[in-house]
Amino acid sequence: MPQEQYPHRSTMQTSEGPQVYKVGIYGWRKRCLYFFVLLLMILILVNLAMTIWILKVMNFTIDGMGNLRITEKGLKLEGDSEFLKPLYAKEIRSRPGNPLYFQSARNVTVNILNDKTKVLTRLVTGPQAVEAHSQKFEVKTLSGKLLFSADDNEVVVGAERLRVLGAEGTVFPKSIETPNVRADPFKELRLESPTRALVMEAPKGIEINAEAGSLKATCRTELRLESKDGEITLNSAKIKLPNLPQGSSSSAGSRQKIYELCVCPNGRLFLSQAGGSSTCQINTSVCL
């Protein structure tokens, strides 16, 4: 190159004459610098293109990202949403006219905490059962009428009628208190205790009524009707007591079919062939 093209050259006087020193980057260093600058520009363009592509794919706008929209009332999600960590919100609701779904691979748990982060109420819906943990559980109608209530002391069914549709009926391990027990129309009512005794008690009386059918009471050992202060009334056009024991005949040749109903001191009933006077005293051996 001509010497006038390098104004920044430094000159030094020597015995042999002036020497010229070049200032700058030349040769392979200059080519490497251009290469790195070009590579940096390519990376910047690739990074910018990737950023624009991500913004386009994720649907970033000034109103939100993807299915998430920021509105004046809060956040709005459209479509299916997945939360990998806890979600804290004051209210979660669906769009008007659309249902709200909670879907989980294992269970869904809803907790209500107090100011000290202590669990007061918990609802767990799992693959095996739905569990509710609280001091009291209530089910009410839209009008506020109580349908079902359960706590540590009692379980209340507030519906006008309780229907049990199980084929085996209803099992009560302990006592049951109710003012009325009846079956559906044209269905039979059956009170049964397979292995123990069946006891019915009432402070003012017990009424057993079958308006359109028969009434049957059977037991293995004894059937007892007891009234402490009142009386027991059997009101029917016909009262039959079959298979009662019979006392000995008052006369060997008598063939009459008239019998006298006798009562033993222990309450046992037996038949004695009627005579001119009472024959119950003759057949007291039946009471033994």
Side-chain angles (χ1 to χ4, degrees):
M1 284 186 175
Q3 185 176 356
E4 58 270 10
Q5 293 184 5
Y6 299 94
H8 297 89
R9 288 182 177 177
S10 297
T11 60
M12 295 184 63
Q13 297 290 335
T14 61
S15 58
E16 298 178 356
Q19 294 182 354
V20 179
Y21 293 93
K22 298 180 180 180
V23 178
I25 301 174
Y26 304 96
W28 65 271
R29 295 183 180 86
K30 184 176 182 180
R31 289 191 294 271
C32 289
L33 177 62
Y34 288 161
F35 173 77
F36 284 121
V37 171
L38 180 61
L39 180 62
L40 180 61
M41 293 180 63
I42 294 174
L43 292 177
I44 293 174
L45 293 176
V46 172
N47 190 13
L48 181 61
M50 292 293 295
T51 303
I52 296 175
W53 179 77
I54 292 174
L55 293 176
K56 183 65 176 178
V57 172
M58 298 299 294
N59 195 12
F60 275 95
T61 61
I62 58 175
D63 296 329
M65 176 189 68
N67 295 330
L68 178 65
R69 294 290 183 268
I70 301 175
T71 62
E72 296 179 356
K73 298 181 179 180
L75 298 178
K76 180 180 179 181
L77 287 173
E78 298 179 354
D80 297 336
S81 302
E82 182 179 356
F83 300 93
L84 302 179
K85 293 187 177 182
L87 172 65
Y88 299 93
K90 182 180 180 181
E91 181 181 359
I92 300 176
R93 62 179 181 179
S94 63
R95 292 186 300 177
N98 293 333
L100 177 64
Y101 294 98
F102 290 95
Q103 184 175 354
S104 174
R106 299 187 64 181
N107 57 24
V108 177
T109 303
V110 180
N111 293 333
I112 297 178
L113 311 178
N114 57 5
D115 297 337
K116 299 180 180 180
T117 66
K118 182 180 179 180
V119 178
L120 299 178
T121 303
R122 174 179 297 174
L123 178 63
V124 181
T125 58
Q128 301 296 333
V130 178
E131 300 179 2
H133 303 266
S134 63
Q135 296 181 354
K136 191 173 183 179
F137 179 75
E138 292 184 350
V139 178
K140 296 183 178 180
T141 61
L142 294 177
S143 60
K145 181 181 178 181
L146 181 64
L147 295 179
F148 181 83
S149 175
D151 56 16
D152 293 337
N153 299 323
E154 62 179 1
V155 175
V156 178
V157 179
E160 296 181 356
R161 177 180 297 181
L162 175 62
R163 299 186 62 185
V164 180
L165 303 179
E168 298 296 331
T170 307
V171 179
F172 298 96
K174 298 194 182 276
S175 62
I176 174 175
E177 181 179 350
T178 177
N180 187 13
V181 178
R182 65 179 180 181
D184 288 338
F186 307 104
K187 301 289 184 180
E188 67 174 13
L189 175 63
R190 187 172 183 178
L191 303 179
E192 181 180 3
S193 179
T195 58
R196 299 296 180 91
L198 177 61
V199 180
M200 291 187 294
E201 296 180 355
K204 293 185 177 180
I206 297 176
E207 181 181 355
I208 302 176
N209 185 14
E211 297 181 354
S214 60
L215 177 64
K216 183 179 180 181
T218 59
C219 63
R220 185 174 181 84
T221 55
E222 64 179 15
L223 176 63
R224 178 179 297 179
L225 301 177
E226 181 180 352
S227 178
K228 295 182 179 179
D229 299 329
E231 61 182 11
I232 298 176
T233 302
L234 300 177
N235 186 7
S236 176
K238 294 181 180 180
I239 298 177
K240 296 182 179 181
L241 301 175
N243 300 327
L244 287 178
Q246 297 183 10
S248 60
S249 302
S250 59
S251 176
S254 177
R255 296 183 179 179
Q256 63 178 356
K257 299 298 182 180
I258 300 174
Y259 294 90
E260 182 180 0
L261 181 62
C262 303
V263 182
C264 297
N266 58 4
R268 185 178 182 182
L269 300 178
F270 67 94
L271 297 178
S272 178
Q273 209 168 46
S277 60
S278 177
T279 58
C280 292
Q281 298 295 332
I282 301 176
N283 299 288
T284 55
S285 60
V286 181
C287 301
L288 300 178

